[in-house]
Amino acid sequence: MYNIVIYLYLLGVAIASRFSDKVRKMWRGEREAFGVLRDKVEPSARYVWFHAASLGEFEQGRPLMEELRRRHPELKILLTFFSPSGYEVRKNYEGADIVCYLPLDTIGNARRFLRLVRPEMAFFIKYEFWYNYLHILKRRGVPVYSVSSIFREGQVFFRWYGRQYGRVLKCFTHFYVQNEQSRDLLASIGLTNVTITGDTRFDRVLQIKESAAPVAEAVARLFDSGAKVFVAGSSWPPDEEIFIRYFNEHPDWKLIIAPHVIGEDHLQQIEKLLKGRKVARYTTLSTASGQEAAEGVSALIVDCFGLLSSIYQYATVAYVGGGFGVGIHNVLEAAVWGVPVLFGPNNERFMEAQQLKASGGGFDLRNYEDFAGLMSRFADGDFLRAAGAKAGSYVKGKAGATRQILSDVGL
């Protein structure tokens, strides 16, 4: 049944590739992957394979890859992606020796892929459970580890109708899970090769903080005056309508807004909402000719990708968007800087947000009144500093999964 579904999915992707640029990139990349491997795999080299579905999973695997490289430079790293949103951003990642798409999980593709690569071990990050790849890896005696994984009751493995597919979990040598619930759910179906290590993203955000430099001299100069700075990351229109309304009435705060969607229409919409402020875009201020334009700017719109994790270093208070939609984005990137982190109501499924709230460093809100009330509380300097310290301590206290995993697997 699984293989029938895979071939139907393959047909659907082929059809959808005619209409979607994103699907077309994935379809082309999967077909080209074998050519990449034939050209780049060194027959005498020893490979460790990391597979990430997309960009978020890559960030969880990145600390493992970089620590592995530091400990064992003699080993080669193969990194594969399923989604274009991961591959297209990180296809030139220097921490891996080969980066390519993962060919779709047919029996033929899996056999061909593993004959070419012959990995010594494999790491599947968080949610990846490809049935044919995993079964063939097990038959070949290749150790396979699920890292930063998290399991929930509603997943197919724990339903009566998903027991047959759930056998794929028996292919893993060991699970390194994020929480006790995941361990208990795996135990309920007879899997006890489980260790709670937490999430490697905590290690990643600490790496980012340690290596972060001022984002741009002209931008950094905006915040030398000691003004209070509110940084909103990955914001959507429902987020922006709430916090911009507040700051239009409180000009003593400076703003940095890094929207999730960077399109001209959205950028103009944000600029229209910012009444009575001098607004600038990052790409203008970061150029030599734009430095004079920094004078008097009190609201900065970050109109490019790749800067948000470092932008948070300027925050007095941070806001992480998405909580009025499908769910909040990465709160750890903000919390690591030791500042209070605010976010919208759709955060129940996000363990780190729940734990950050419990620590006293995170705060959720449902409307403008909630937001205004929280900002009033932050007027108390002692409360502001205490909340920020709790956010930073929360992140530091959860770090260490990377070293624990690699040491446990003998690397």
Side-chain angles (χ1 to χ4, degrees), residues 336-356:
V336 71
W337 293 99
V339 296
V341 183
L342 281 58
F343 38 83
N346 190 0
N347 59 74
E348 292 85 358
R349 295 182 295 107
F350 299 84
M351 183 179 67
E352 64 275 10
Q354 295 296 308
Q355 292 177 343
L356 187 59

Side-chain angles (χ1 to χ4, degrees), residues 244-257:
I244 290 178
R245 173 185 168 187
Y246 178 86
F247 290 112
N248 282 340
E249 300 171 2
H250 295 80
D252 54 318
W253 281 81
K254 290 188 176 183
L255 302 182
I256 304 179
I257 303 170

Side-chain angles (χ1 to χ4, degrees), residues 267-286:
L267 298 177
Q268 290 184 15
Q269 180 182 7
I270 295 172
E271 289 170 340
K272 288 178 181 178
L273 289 173
L274 288 163
K275 300 172 183 177
R277 287 180 176 270
K278 183 175 180 180
V279 183
R281 297 187 184 184
Y282 174 86
T283 54
T284 300
L285 290 187
S286 60

Side-chain angles (χ1 to χ4, degrees), residues 215 219-220 222-223 228-235 243 247 253-259 270 274 277 280 282 297-303 307-308 310-319:
V215 177
V219 176
L222 291 176
F223 311 106
K228 296 176 291 185
V229 181
F230 183 86
V231 176
S234 300
S235 63
F243 66 73
F247 290 112
W253 281 81
K254 290 188 176 183
L255 302 182
I256 304 179
I257 303 170
I270 295 172
L274 288 163
R277 287 180 176 270
Y282 174 86
V297 169
S298 64
L300 175 68
I301 300 173
V302 181
D303 57 338
L307 300 177
L308 179 57
S310 295
I311 287 283
Y312 282 124
Q313 69 184 286
Y314 299 112
T316 307
V317 174
Y319 183 97

Side-chain angles (χ1 to χ4, degrees), residues 21-192:
D21 183 57
K22 181 178 179 180
V23 176
R24 190 179 308 114
K25 288 179 179 178
M26 182 178 71
W27 173 244
R28 185 185 303 120
E30 288 180 356
R31 288 183 297 166
E32 293 173 350
F34 288 116
V36 172
L37 294 172
R38 282 195 303 269
D39 291 342
K40 294 189 175 183
V41 168
E42 299 176 21
S44 61
R46 301 166 58 200
Y47 284 92
V48 177
W49 173 25
F50 289 84
H51 177 64
S54 189
L55 190 59
E57 290 79 11
F58 164 79
E59 290 296 328
Q60 289 176 296
R62 183 170 180 168
L64 289 163
M65 288 183 277
E66 294 181 358
E67 180 65 13
L68 174 62
R69 177 78 84 198
R70 189 188 69 80
R71 294 186 184 191
H72 295 282
E74 75 280 7
L75 297 176
K76 300 285 188 179
I77 294 175
L78 166 67
L79 169 63
T80 60
F81 287 98
F82 177 75
S83 168
S85 60
Y87 175 79
E88 294 300 328
V89 176
R90 295 301 181 190
K91 59 187 175 183
N92 297 317
Y93 172 57
E94 295 181 353
D97 298 281
I98 304 173
V99 183
C100 66
Y101 281 93
L102 180 69
L104 196 64
D105 187 30
T106 65
I107 295 174
N109 280 348
R111 286 174 175 167
R112 186 180 177 192
F113 179 92
L114 292 170
R115 279 198 301 265
L116 280 168
V117 179
R118 295 171 290 104
E120 292 195 1
M121 64 177 61
F123 293 85
F124 280 48
I125 302 165
K126 197 172 183 178
Y127 289 135
E128 293 298 272
F129 308 105
W130 294 111
Y131 192 91
N132 291 314
Y133 281 103
L134 287 165
H135 276 85
I136 295 172
L137 283 165
K138 183 178 180 180
R139 285 199 293 270
R140 289 174 172 238
V142 179
V144 185
Y145 304 101
S146 177
V147 298
S148 291
S149 46
I150 189 165
F151 294 90
R152 298 183 177 90
E153 286 186 26
Q155 288 174 296
V156 65
F157 314 115
F158 312 110
R159 301 288 189 177
W160 63 267
Y161 54 80
R163 292 298 171 87
Q164 183 174 359
Y165 175 68
R167 294 173 185 168
V168 71
L169 298 181
K170 295 183 179 180
C171 295
F172 285 96
T173 306
H174 205 87
F175 295 88
Y176 295 97
V177 301
Q178 293 191 33
N179 56 24
E180 291 183 8
Q181 180 190 27
S182 297
R183 180 190 61 190
D184 294 344
L185 283 170
L186 291 171
S188 73
I189 57 173
L191 295 171
T192 57

